[in-house]
Amino acid sequence: MNAPSTTPNSQPTPEAEVAGVPGVNGVPGESHFALVLNSGSSSIKFQVLDPLAATATSEPFVSGLVEQIGEPMGRITLKAGGEKYVLEEPIPDHAEGLRLSFDLMDQHGCGPTQVKIQAVGHRVVHGGILFSQPEIITDQIVDMIRDLIPLAPLHNPANIDGIEVARRILPDIPHVAVFDTGFFHSMPPAAALYAVNAEVAMQNGVRRYGFHGTSHEYVSQQVPGLLGLPERAVNQITLHLGNGASAAAIRGGEAVDTTMGMTPLAGLVMGTRSGDIDPGIIFHLYRTAGMSIDDIDELLNRKSGVKGLSGVNDFRELRAMIEDEDQDAWLAYNVYIHQLRKFIGAYMIALGRVNAITFTAGVGENDRFVRADALAGLEAFGIKLDPERNAAPNDGPREISTDDSAVKVFVVPTNEELAIAKYAVELAEKQ
Ligand code: AMP
């Protein structure tokens, strides 16, 4: 167990005495805390934050992770007030995971009995063609999310578990579903449809939905302000380069194309996912290599991408290996960059005119080599990166192109939890 240990019998701290909580300590009632839940099949990530006070790079008031739900030993990690607390005990299901997390937060003066939570925001992976906007959760909305399970058999059931448990534990607070696919609802048919038999596609929901929508929307909404232009006048490309990676083409605030598809496996090369491949490879591995569909699923989602080519998926390790002249690492990096550049080119043509290209997420925000190589030698297309700006340490939104670059290049930190919290509080206030 990591220090400091939890104190299971400590009394909850009275509201006015909770140290360091804006709106709780000193000015009760002025905070707008949201609880954000991201429920996976055996894990729950959570944050408590005030979306009106937070920035993309500020620490949330509380963050936590419940892991190994349903396994012999589970684990809850809680970070609050600069301290880290770890609880290890069996966690049979999501309900117990959330209940234990709330108890742990209460013991450390930052739980739902001490901090007024105004709304709960739930990340929901697949909204299909049903959802374009965040929604206040009702029984009917839960049923609609359940109807989408065939499109996201691994993700939506876990999201529903989290919603149902949280609604039971916090029944008097508005719960809001924010869909990863929502931002891409506006994509025109030419970008959203695959050239797959129309009847089969229609019957089975086969089309491009796109993911990381909350991040692309959040980041792209900051770009018009950086450019000093109204949103409707801005054409832009956003590059969400994290462990998962996707690019989006956005015209006047509306997404017109994105690299992820019916599932988050498509498009760019990612940490462990292959991105686009010839679909014939799947038949070949099934028929000739004798792999099962589950084996191939595991191969393409977890054992491919940069990791599949180099053995590592963290770009810090990849860079260290490249510096040690590891040929596999160098090759993996080049495959990654090649694919990224192809999509940047494709989206420049799809948009016709581009005001800005923006990097975000773990790799996009931190890896200056990736940013430089993604845009190297594109001066003829009006893209000029400023090497000093690109290399300068900074964790805020910033321009990294030269003053005379026709296409501006930015780094804008993303924060999906903050975006979800904003939606949750906004919708709760409208109720
Ligand atoms: P995300 O999915 O957005 O959390 O991004 C996680 C990934 O970001 C990690 O797997 C790393 O590859 C990458 N990353 C995080 N920090 C750095 C860094 N300082 N330099 C390069 N890559 C980084």
Side-chain angles (χ1 to χ4, degrees):
M1 195 186 272
N2 290 8
S5 65
T6 58
T7 49
N9 297 319
S10 64
Q11 291 301 307
T13 317
E15 183 168 298
E17 291 173 23
V18 178
V21 184
V24 175
N25 186 14
V27 201
E30 282 198 1
S31 59
H32 299 263
F33 282 105
L35 168 68
V36 176
L37 292 178
N38 181 355
S39 305
S41 55
S42 65
S43 69
I44 308 169
K45 284 189 208 147
F46 59 89
Q47 285 192 6
V48 177
L49 67 161
D50 178 349
L52 303 188
T55 66
T57 50
S58 60
E59 282 293 311
F61 174 53
V62 176
S63 67
L65 174 65
V66 185
E67 294 170 280
Q68 288 144 3
I69 296 173
E71 291 182 27
M73 185 53 82
R75 180 183 167 96
I76 302 178
T77 314
L78 181 75
K79 285 189 197 160
E83 299 282 356
K84 183 172 162 186
Y85 309 97
V86 178
L87 179 72
E88 283 176 313
E89 66 172 70
I91 303 170
D93 52 28
H94 285 69
E96 190 63 3
L98 266 194
R99 200 189 59 70
L100 286 169
S101 302
F102 288 171
D103 283 354
L104 197 59
M105 286 153 72
D106 276 340
Q107 283 163 26
H108 296 289
C110 56
T113 61
Q114 292 126 340
V115 176
K116 187 173 175 302
I117 303 223
Q118 205 183 349
V120 184
H122 296 264
R123 177 178 184 226
V124 178
V125 167
H126 220 304
I129 53 166
L130 299 178
F131 295 107
S132 59
Q133 296 290 334
E135 296 281 350
I136 293 273
I137 298 175
T138 59
D139 291 346
Q140 191 197 357
I141 295 287
V142 176
D143 287 343
M144 290 166 78
I145 298 171
R146 193 172 281 115
D147 289 343
L148 294 166
I149 286 176
L151 290 176
L154 299 179
H155 293 106
N156 276 28
N159 298 157
I160 293 168
D161 273 354
I163 289 171
E164 291 189 323
V165 166
R167 286 179 86 206
R168 271 204 305 279
I169 298 180
L170 299 171
D172 301 324
I173 299 173
H175 289 248
V176 172
V178 181
F179 300 91
D180 235 24
T181 48
F183 182 55
F184 297 112
H185 201 263
S186 63
M187 277 191 303
L193 296 189
Y194 294 116
V196 168
N197 179 279
E199 202 182 324
V200 172
M202 174 77 87
Q203 278 167 2
N204 295 285
V206 173
R207 55 177 280 145
R208 183 184 306 282
Y209 296 97
F211 299 87
H212 289 149
T214 311
S215 175
H216 285 288
E217 182 175 29
Y218 174 79
V219 166
S220 65
Q221 281 173 346
Q222 295 179 51
V223 169
L226 294 169
L227 290 168
L229 290 171
E231 186 179 60
R232 68 186 141 70
V234 175
N235 286 359
Q236 54 176 315
I237 297 171
T238 46
L239 304 170
H240 176 112
L241 309 179
N243 200 25
S246 60
I250 301 163
R251 177 179 288 126
E254 302 234 314
V256 295
D257 205 350
T258 191
T259 53
M260 283 182 168
M262 179 177 158
T263 75
L265 181 55
L268 302 176
V269 175
M270 310 184 212
T272 65
R273 284 174 247 165
S274 62
D276 281 359
I277 58 165
D278 173 356
I281 293 170
I282 296 171
F283 313 134
H284 174 73
L285 293 176
Y286 178 73
R287 293 193 186 117
T288 311
M291 294 177 75
S292 70
I293 291 298
D294 285 346
D295 291 340
I296 301 170
D297 191 328
E298 167 91 3
L299 177 86
L300 298 179
N301 275 295
R302 297 190 195 284
K303 298 181 185 163
S304 294
V306 170
K307 183 170 189 157
L309 292 175
S310 72
V312 299
N313 59 306
D314 190 306
F315 273 65
R316 288 161 288 198
E317 290 177 58
L318 191 73
R319 177 59 42 193
M321 288 164 68
I322 291 170
E323 279 165 11
D324 285 344
E325 298 187 1
D326 183 297
Q327 287 307 303
D328 292 341
W330 182 236
L331 198 59
Y333 181 75
N334 283 327
V335 173
Y336 177 94
I337 294 290
H338 180 74
Q339 185 84 333
L340 180 57
R341 287 171 65 89
K342 276 208 296 200
F343 277 112
I344 293 168
Y347 289 173
M348 288 184 72
I349 299 301
L351 288 167
R353 167 184 65 80
V354 175
N355 302 90
I357 298 174
T358 304
F359 290 87
T360 194
V363 178
E365 289 167 34
N366 295 299
D367 196 321
R368 64 192 159 99
F369 300 99
V370 166
R371 294 193 298 256
D373 291 330
L375 300 178
L378 300 182
E379 293 77 9
F381 295 90
I383 303 171
K384 289 192 207 166
L385 212 64
D386 182 315
E388 277 175 27
R389 287 179 184 170
N390 184 41
N394 187 333
D395 63 2
R398 57 198 183 274
E399 184 184 336
I400 56 169
S401 44
T402 60
D403 289 341
D404 66 343
S405 181
V407 178
K408 293 293 174 195
V409 184
F410 298 111
V411 178
V412 175
T414 193
N415 189 328
E416 285 156 295
E417 286 79 12
L418 174 56
I420 292 171
K422 279 188 176 164
Y423 276 127
V425 165
E426 203 177 289
L427 262 71
E429 281 178 352
K430 277 194 199 147
Q431 259 213 323

